[in-house]
Amino acid sequence: MSKRYFTIGMAGHIDHGKTTLTKALTNVDTDRLKEEKERQISIELGFAPLHEDDELQISVVDVPGHERFIRQMIAGVAGIDLVVLVVAADEGVMPQTKEHLEILGFLGIKAGIIAVTKTDRVDEEFIDLVKEDILGELEGTVFENSPLMMVDSLSKKGIEELKALIIETLKQQEERDSRGAFRLPIDQVFTVKGQGTVIRGTVYEGSVKEGQLLKIMPKGHEVRARQLQVHHKPAVEAFAGQRVAINLSGIAKDEIERGEVLVLSDQFIVTRTIDVAIRVVEDLDYLVKQRTPIKCHIGTAEVMGRIVFFDRNELKEETDEILCQLRLEEEIVTKRGDRFIVRRPSPQETIGGGWVIDPRGNKYRFGKQTIVELEKKKVGTPTERISAALYEAKSLTFEDLIKSTALDEATLKEVLKREEFLLYSGKEYTLVQLIEAIEDDLVDKLEEYHRKNPMRQGLNKAELYQGMQKLIPKNLFDFVIENGLKKDVFTRKDQFIKLASFNPHVPKNWEKRTENLLTELKQDGLKVRYLKDYFKDAGIPDQLVTELKKFLEEQQLIVPLDEQYYWHKELFQDTVNQLRKQTGAEFEVGDAKHAVDLSRKYMIPFLERLDTLGLTKRVENKRIWRR
């Protein structure tokens, strides 16, 4: 089973013990700022590693509970997989708790655990009443059927049980998609002395590798991921669901803002107008009128804008989903399906939240027809539904697509004729864009491999797939390889794959010494010394000997007689030609010694090498030329 990565969040009212509970679970104090220590409240997002084994890696986000810090709370919760709702036993569910619950519902958070803290402050006989009161308050929310745990962070009572429940819950949960295009909404930017600019965030989807060229959107700055850190440890790659810090080259701290997005692909859309489906809170204090100013929280971005209705001029209470539009003052990076929260800037209150139907919103007329069109968008066109299914699964049969898209057979057949879809292996469909992305990824992998191993003829195909096996199915990987071979992007020798543009070569700083080695080996003719002596005389370090020897053999510059003695390729071939000319169709060892003046020390290994290469066949005491 491949390793899975999750980030969980602590949410709840101020001073209900989120940070203390996080410390009890992780042994990490997430309050870092001096102001946080002095005021004993969390202002910025706090992070800590909770658990790691061969199967799971879990990080914790401790989000602020004070209403003034709702922006940071939304930024933290938007990227998590499970929420621990923290409720103090001596206070119960508070107004801020309820607002957090509404936000969690709007953001689509489904997995939750209720942690009742400060149980030492409540008499034992009232514990059941506290539980009953809290569960009653949570009816009708996303936590209605969530398990409830009683804990005390200072005495550690119930902490191990809570941790075990978190781990077990996440084991049952689907992981985020590491196979999509990399996207990381930035929630922190800072500098590290001697390192430069560092950003931090939760990987929403896809994966990122050390050394990759990336873009910061919407501004489009190109940067390189110089170094990665996960749980304060260096990492070569980070996956969807992980908290990661990335040291970026090519950009200053002042050029990046929280809310921007680090991406690998150009497929993400930069926009100011989004068509949305939104639900509003149950108890709005103020009317929401046509073009009311709003703050849109999406990912880690907070953007001012206005809400535009097409079937009403004001909104007070509404239980159904409303189709409308958000027109923003600044560009954001988003795609269909992204969740968001809308708040009133003044007086401050949460209006509602929902999901993006279309990031490419246009101007529409007020009236029923626009709502009809938005309904169609909400359901999605057949092309969008097929693309979404293939984007998630990477490869599906026709029968699987019928199940995934709920389209009829005739419609599905017609849409699959479009150029963005590809049938391969006779029965599997995928996206052309995905084929191109996988090929680009393979090119990047091989370029890096060739850079580090210039003398090797390529990367073992099985090893090349090993790093992608949880991203794409094997038959799709095989197709991309075969397609790349036909296009001369790759070449193959035995089980090794390399870029067609690459030729194995000795590193430049060792070229001259290698030439000297070959010259000396050739000068010694047939009566050579041990090969290791030639390497030593040429000044080639021991750690390079094995790799260089293999390279010289593969390039047929030297030919082994046995494990110790090697001949220069030209001399070996000359000796073979001489022996062939001076013997008939078959010969014995004595005939060979007469034809070629060699001692038994060299002659026997030479003849056995001819057998190994298939030039001769030994039959009792004789050898027969094969070709």
Side-chain angles (χ1 to χ4, degrees):
M1 179 182 293
S2 59
K3 195 162 184 172
R4 301 192 297 156
Y5 305 94
F6 295 101
T7 299
I8 73 168
M10 297 285 179
H13 192 73
I14 183 175
D15 201 30
H16 274 208
K18 297 186 300 300
T19 302
T20 308
L21 177 57
T22 300
K23 186 176 181 180
L25 286 166
T26 67
N27 294 317
V28 175
D29 186 355
T30 56
D31 277 352
R32 308 173 315 283
L33 303 180
K34 181 181 178 182
E35 187 182 355
E36 291 177 329
K37 297 290 187 184
E38 291 174 350
R39 296 171 60 188
Q40 295 187 326
I41 62 172
S42 297
I43 298 170
E44 291 291 343
L45 302 172
F47 308 99
L50 174 72
H51 170 80
E52 183 165 10
D53 57 24
D54 293 339
E55 185 180 346
L56 296 177
Q57 183 189 81
I58 306 171
S59 303
V60 179
V61 179
D62 173 19
V63 299
H66 195 279
E67 62 90 13
R68 285 176 54 197
F69 307 121
I70 197 76
R71 170 187 174 182
Q72 287 91 330
M73 182 265 171
I74 294 171
V77 170
I80 69 173
D81 305 287
L82 177 147
V83 170
V84 176
L85 181 69
V86 180
V87 183
D90 59 341
E91 288 192 341
V93 176
M94 301 291 284
Q96 192 67 36
T97 315
K98 292 180 179 179
E99 184 172 17
H100 280 206
L101 284 169
E102 288 175 330
I103 289 170
L104 294 172
F106 293 141
L107 291 175
I109 302 295
K110 295 182 175 64
I113 295 171
I114 306 157
V116 182
T117 58
K118 305 185 181 184
T119 53
D120 60 321
R121 300 187 183 183
V122 179
D123 293 337
E124 190 69 32
E125 59 265 30
F126 291 113
I127 290 293
D128 288 339
L129 290 175
V130 170
K131 286 183 183 179
E132 186 178 337
D133 180 58
I134 291 172
L135 291 174
E137 289 282 354
L138 296 178
E139 283 184 11
T141 73
V142 291
F143 281 83
E144 183 174 17
N145 298 310
S146 297
L148 183 148
M149 300 287 290
M150 307 294 288
V151 299
D152 184 72
S153 301
L154 298 179
S155 68
K156 299 293 184 75
K157 180 182 177 182
I159 294 298
E160 286 305 314
E161 291 82 355
L162 174 59
K163 187 172 182 178
L165 178 60
I166 291 169
I167 294 169
E168 189 57 37
T169 302
L170 289 174
K171 281 183 179 179
Q172 311 304 318
Q173 191 165 319
E174 291 185 10
E175 65 178 324
R176 289 172 179 263
D177 190 358
S178 292
R179 299 173 294 184
F182 168 71
R183 177 167 56 144
L184 182 146
I186 297 168
D187 56 46
Q188 288 181 331
V189 188
F190 52 96
T191 56
V192 176
K193 190 174 181 179
Q195 298 295 321
T197 305
V198 178
I199 62 94
R200 187 152 48 195
T202 301
V203 182
Y204 268 31
E205 56 193 321
S207 61
V208 62
K209 296 177 187 173
E210 189 176 79
Q212 278 187 318
L213 193 65
L214 305 165
K215 278 188 178 180
I216 295 178
M217 303 299 288
K219 293 175 184 173
H221 293 306
E222 286 199 349
V223 295
R224 189 173 295 277
R226 181 187 292 159
Q227 292 176 316
L228 309 181
Q229 271 198 1
V230 176
H231 288 180
H232 304 290
K233 295 178 182 177
V236 176
E237 190 170 7
F239 302 92
Q242 283 187 305
R243 288 291 307 174
V244 61
I246 305 178
N247 177 208
L248 299 176
S249 62
I251 196 165
K253 172 183 177 291
D254 295 341
E255 296 179 86
I256 309 175
E257 298 178 21
R258 170 152 64 181
E260 294 182 319
V261 184
L262 189 64
V263 299
L264 178 61
S265 168
D266 289 330
Q267 74 181 59
F268 293 106
I269 295 165
V270 175
T271 181
R272 290 188 183 185
T273 305
I274 55 176
D275 298 337
V276 300
I278 186 172
R279 290 185 183 275
V280 297
V281 299
E282 290 184 3
D283 50 354
L284 272 175
D285 291 332
Y286 303 92
L287 277 176
V288 179
K289 296 183 179 181
Q290 181 73 286
R291 298 182 181 273
T292 288
I294 53 95
K295 278 186 182 178
C296 175
H297 298 267
I298 186 163
T300 58
E302 177 189 31
V303 183
M304 292 294 295
R306 293 183 181 274
I307 189 166
V308 177
F309 300 113
F310 301 104
D311 60 349
R312 68 197 71 202
N313 286 308
E314 62 180 37
L315 174 68
K316 174 64 176 173
E317 293 181 2
E318 178 65 65
T319 56
D320 293 333
E321 205 169 45
I322 301 161
L323 302 181
C324 57
Q325 191 175 78
L326 301 182
R327 296 181 185 172
L328 308 173
E329 295 179 6
E330 300 174 44
E331 291 182 326
I332 60 167
V333 177
T334 188
K335 71 174 191 177
R336 178 180 168 87
D338 281 357
R339 295 275 180 165
F340 64 88
I341 299 295
V342 172
R343 302 194 82 233
R344 184 192 301 276
S346 180
Q348 292 188 12
E349 72 168 338
T350 299
I351 295 172
W355 60 282
V356 177
I357 296 173
D358 187 353
R360 302 183 188 88
N362 291 310
K363 289 190 175 181
Y364 313 121
R365 291 180 179 274
F366 186 92
K368 184 177 179 181
Q369 186 56 40
T370 294
I371 297 299
V372 170
E373 293 302 316
L374 290 176
E375 283 284 1
K376 290 179 182 177
K377 277 192 180 185
K378 179 183 169 184
V379 174
T381 67
T383 300
E384 289 172 338
R385 285 153 73 177
I386 296 169
S387 296
L390 290 174
Y391 185 81
E392 181 177 354
K394 310 310 175 197
S395 175
L396 291 170
T397 64
F398 188 83
E399 291 73 21
D400 288 335
L401 278 168
I402 288 179
K403 295 175 186 175
S404 300
T405 63
L407 294 171
D408 62 86
E409 189 172 324
T411 301
L412 186 58
K413 282 182 177 178
E414 187 61 32
V415 176
L416 285 173
K417 294 176 182 178
R418 295 173 63 99
E419 60 182 12
E420 58 257 52
F421 304 114
L422 175 72
L423 176 67
Y424 73 98
S425 73
K427 61 177 183 178
E428 297 275 341
Y429 286 91
T430 190
L431 295 164
V432 171
Q433 183 185 37
L434 182 59
I435 295 291
E436 293 169 352
I438 296 170
E439 184 180 286
D440 288 345
D441 194 22
L442 290 173
V443 168
D444 289 344
K445 287 177 184 289
L446 289 172
E447 281 180 347
E448 181 68 8
Y449 184 82
H450 293 331
R451 186 182 66 79
K452 292 180 178 178
N453 306 281
M455 291 188 287
R456 297 185 186 177
Q457 59 182 315
L459 183 58
N460 189 298
K461 183 182 176 185
E463 190 177 344
L464 184 60
Y465 179 60
Q466 190 174 9
M468 307 180 76
Q469 59 187 3
K470 65 180 180 180
L471 308 179
I472 58 173
K474 179 65 164 56
N475 58 347
L476 183 55
F477 169 80
D478 290 338
F479 173 79
V480 175
I481 291 290
E482 293 302 320
N483 192 52
L485 290 170
K486 290 177 183 176
K487 292 163 43 182
D488 289 329
V489 175
F490 312 122
T491 58
R492 176 171 53 201
K493 183 178 181 182
D494 300 324
Q495 75 271 33
F496 297 100
I497 306 293
K498 74 174 186 70
L499 293 176
S501 58
F502 171 78
N503 289 311
H505 58 278
V506 176
K508 197 169 185 63
N509 52 332
W510 298 110
E511 279 181 359
K512 187 63 179 176
R513 297 190 186 194
T514 304
E515 289 174 9
N516 293 340
L517 180 153
L518 292 172
T519 299
E520 188 177 355
L521 187 67
K522 188 175 183 180
Q523 287 174 349
D524 284 352
L526 304 182
K527 298 178 182 179
V528 292
R529 295 172 291 143
Y530 286 166
L531 185 65
K532 66 179 182 180
D533 294 333
Y534 292 94
F535 280 105
K536 186 175 181 181
D537 291 348
I540 293 170
D542 291 342
Q543 62 267 28
L544 196 65
V545 167
T546 301
E547 190 84 10
L548 181 55
K549 183 172 74 170
K550 184 178 180 183
F551 168 79
L552 294 174
E553 281 190 64
E554 289 174 345
Q555 298 300 309
Q556 298 183 344
L557 296 171
I558 61 175
V559 179
L561 300 184
D562 57 22
E563 292 182 357
Q564 303 291 345
Y565 294 113
Y566 284 73
W567 281 353
H568 191 282
K569 174 63 178 178
E570 290 180 14
L571 291 175
F572 177 83
Q573 194 58 54
D574 289 345
T575 307
V576 172
N577 294 338
Q578 183 181 345
L579 182 60
R580 190 186 287 272
K581 285 179 181 178
Q582 296 189 36
T583 56
E586 58 184 44
F587 62 92
E588 296 181 2
V589 174
D591 301 325
K593 290 189 71 176
H594 180 73
V596 181
D597 183 21
L598 277 179
S599 67
R600 188 175 184 83
K601 180 173 75 170
Y602 299 111
M603 179 59 75
I604 297 305
F606 170 59
L607 295 178
E608 289 176 349
R609 177 56 54 182
L610 295 181
D611 297 338
T612 301
L613 293 172
L615 297 174
T616 59
K617 180 182 179 182
R618 182 175 178 178
V619 180
E620 297 178 351
N621 293 327
K622 294 184 178 182
R623 279 181 168 81
I624 301 168
W625 289 104
R626 286 186 164 183
R627 51 190 171 113

